[in-house]
């Protein structure tokens, strides 16, 4: 099972007027440990961000899966409830995994959800 880490990065970015503005962004990283998540951030962001940046926080995320679609550019955090029937005693159990998905909009994200009626 994958482990997703939510990482916070802070850096200075130049705006249209030429002034430096402090920016904080969050990134979702698939890694085995906190150390690997930080190393992945430095590797990927080192070429994208001009100047210095610092990782201000890393925490384990409760996201179970991330669904990728090539033509989408927006991400939504989805909580999906599954009802699981226990065959032995007939009771129903609820499972609430958290998913991240990219899609064109909220409505298309619902339509692309497997098992969800349109």
């Amino acid at each position: 099972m994958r482990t997703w880490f939510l990482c916070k990065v802070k850096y200075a970015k130049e705006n249209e007027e030429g002034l430096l503005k402090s920016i904080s962004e969050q990134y979702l990283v698939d890694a085995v440990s906190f150390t690997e998540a930080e190393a992945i951030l430095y590797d990927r962001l080192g070429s994208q961000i001009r100047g210095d940046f610092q990782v201000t926080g890393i925490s384990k995320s409760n996201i179970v899966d991330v669904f990728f679609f090539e033509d989408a550019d927006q991400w939504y955090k989805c909580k999906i409830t599954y009802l699981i029937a226990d065959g032995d005693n007939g009771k129903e159990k609820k499972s609430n995994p958290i998913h991240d998905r990219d899609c064109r909009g909220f409505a298309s994200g619902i339509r692309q959800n497997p098992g969800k009626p349109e």
Side-chain angles (χ1 to χ4, degrees), residues 10 14 17 19 23 25-27 36 42-43 65-66 72 75 91 93 98 108 117:
K10 192 172 191 176
E14 190 174 324
E17 292 86 33
L19 301 173
I23 303 288
E25 292 182 342
Q26 291 185 346
Y27 293 91
E36 184 185 8
Y42 278 105
D43 183 45
D65 283 319
V66 176
W75 288 85
K91 292 184 179 180
K93 296 179 184 178
I98 304 294
S108 70

Side-chain angles (χ1 to χ4, degrees), residues 89-106:
N89 57 11
K91 292 184 179 180
E92 289 184 346
K93 296 179 184 178
K94 287 186 180 180
S95 175
N96 297 314
I98 304 294
H99 301 276
D100 248 12
R101 63 182 313 122
D102 56 344
C103 51
R104 289 192 198 114
F106 183 73

Side-chain angles (χ1 to χ4, degrees), residues 8-11 21-27 56:
K8 296 178 183 179
V9 176
K10 192 172 191 176
Y11 62 95
K21 182 178 178 183
S22 181
I23 303 288
S24 293
E25 292 182 342
Q26 291 185 346
Y27 293 91
T56 58

